[in-house]
Amino acid sequence: VLGERQRAAAAAAAARFAAAAALDVGAAGEVRALELRAGLAALASLAGERAGEDVLDALFSRFCIGK
């Protein structure tokens, strides 16, 4: 990690993934999905890219959210 922007993005990603992992099993899938999407977006910004909705939709299409 080279600069402050990268450190902030890595910290944001780690915090979002930790928040998703800390959710109770009974927690709404939508909440977990939101945290994971935010973590992926932070990782993408770390690489200087933005994770587009099509990429995120393809990734999350494998999950059964809301059941």
Side-chain angles (χ1 to χ4, degrees):
V1 179
L2 301 173
E4 186 58 35
R5 184 187 66 79
Q6 290 90 357
R7 273 191 285 284
R16 294 298 193 147
F17 293 140
L23 289 171
D24 289 334
V25 173
E30 292 89 356
V31 175
R32 184 170 281 121
L34 288 172
E35 293 293 348
L36 292 172
R37 282 180 181 257
L40 287 173
L43 284 180
S45 73
L46 181 62
E49 300 174 3
R50 301 190 90 204
E53 284 297 313
D54 55 333
V55 173
L56 294 175
D57 287 341
L59 176 66
F60 285 104
S61 69
R62 298 181 190 144
F63 294 97
C64 181
I65 297 173
K67 293 186 179 182

